């Protein structure tokens, strides 16, 4: 009887030890993403992403213009976009989308590269492209591109430009949110920082263009 009791105690002790070992081996993955400084970190990387997107976009534009100088390409759709809306909306929107995919790499660095690479890039590129097409269509067929360079209507164009940047940033951040939720606590902070950063930069650029026009 004593041996049976002793065996029972030994078995209980082994089970308890196994449970302790399993508890020690299982660790909840850290989801802080440098939480104490992430507001400034995420802000800085979003500023960098904007600069990268801006540089890449104008790099594409310069390449198109250089090709047009040496090849007999009809560029009437640039000055008169209504002549060929498929080109005047499709090409710029696609370029903006590609630029956004490049800038998404910089944003991913701000998240310690912990989000999945291709879902992050593809979601960003798809949302930005679709939103850009919609924004360009409204601008071309309702506001008219020429209004950007007319003093009496340039303010409306600048406000529209800022609003588009803000809406695109919001839509993109919401699409990215599903990935951010996997690696960070309070993932909604990513949406707030992204929208405020991109809208703020758009306000600075739009205001500068308006004041110097």
């Amino acid at each position: 009887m004593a041996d049976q009791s002793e065996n029972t105690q030994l078995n209980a002790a082994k089970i308890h030890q196994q449970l302790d070992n399993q508890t020690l081996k299982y660790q909840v993955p850290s989801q802080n993403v440098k939480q104490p400084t992430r507001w400034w970190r995420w802000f800085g990387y979003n500023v960098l992403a904007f600069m990268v997107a801006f540089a890449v976009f104008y790099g594409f534009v310069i390449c198109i213009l250089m090709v047009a100088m040496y090849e007999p390409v009809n560029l009437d759709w640039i000055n008169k976009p209504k002549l060929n809306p498929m080109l005047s909306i499709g090409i710029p929107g696609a370029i903006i989308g590609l630029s956004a995919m490049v800038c998404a790499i910089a944003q991913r660095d701000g998240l310690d590269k912990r989000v999945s690479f291709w879902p992050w890039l593809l979601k960003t590129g798809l949302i930005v492209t679709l939103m850009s097409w919609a924004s360009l269509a409204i601008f071309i067929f309702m506001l008219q591109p020429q209004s950007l360079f007319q003093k009496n209507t340039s303010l409306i164009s600048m406000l529209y430009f800022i609003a588009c940047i803000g809406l695109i940033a919001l839509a993109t951040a919401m699409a990215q949110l599903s990935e951010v939720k996997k690696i960070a606590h309070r993932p909604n902070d990513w949406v707030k920082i992204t929208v405020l950063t991109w809208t703020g930069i758009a306000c600075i650029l739009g205001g500068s263009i308006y004041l110097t026009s």
Side-chain angles (χ1 to χ4, degrees), residues 64-126:
I64 291 174
L65 294 177
M66 289 180 65
V67 170
M69 289 176 61
Y70 297 100
E71 296 292 336
V73 179
N74 187 354
L75 296 180
D76 287 342
W77 57 271
I78 295 178
N79 295 321
K80 299 177 181 180
K82 285 187 177 181
L83 292 177
N84 196 328
M86 292 299 295
L87 288 178
S88 57
I89 295 173
I91 291 180
I95 292 174
I96 293 171
L98 291 173
S99 304
M101 292 179 71
V102 177
C103 90
I105 298 175
Q107 288 182 315
R108 185 171 175 265
D109 288 340
L111 295 166
D112 300 329
K113 299 182 179 179
R114 292 174 58 187
V115 293
S116 300
F117 183 81
W118 285 113
W120 182 263
L121 259 66
L122 293 177
K123 288 180 181 179
T124 301
L126 178 61

Side-chain angles (χ1 to χ4, degrees), residues 102-151:
V102 177
C103 90
I105 298 175
Q107 288 182 315
R108 185 171 175 265
D109 288 340
L111 295 166
D112 300 329
K113 299 182 179 179
R114 292 174 58 187
V115 293
S116 300
F117 183 81
W118 285 113
W120 182 263
L121 259 66
L122 293 177
K123 288 180 181 179
T124 301
L126 178 61
I127 293 298
V128 172
T129 301
L130 294 176
M131 292 291 292
S132 297
W133 283 340
S135 301
L136 288 168
I138 295 173
F139 183 69
I140 289 172
F141 293 104
M142 295 182 64
L143 295 179
Q144 302 295 326
Q146 292 80 6
S147 65
L148 186 63
F149 305 101
Q150 296 175 4
K151 189 66 176 179

Side-chain angles (χ1 to χ4, degrees), residues 154 158-159 161-162 200-212:
S154 60
M158 286 300 101
L159 293 175
F161 165 76
I162 294 170
I201 296 175
C203 288
I204 294 172
L205 289 177
S208 300
I209 294 172
Y210 176 73
L211 292 176
T212 56

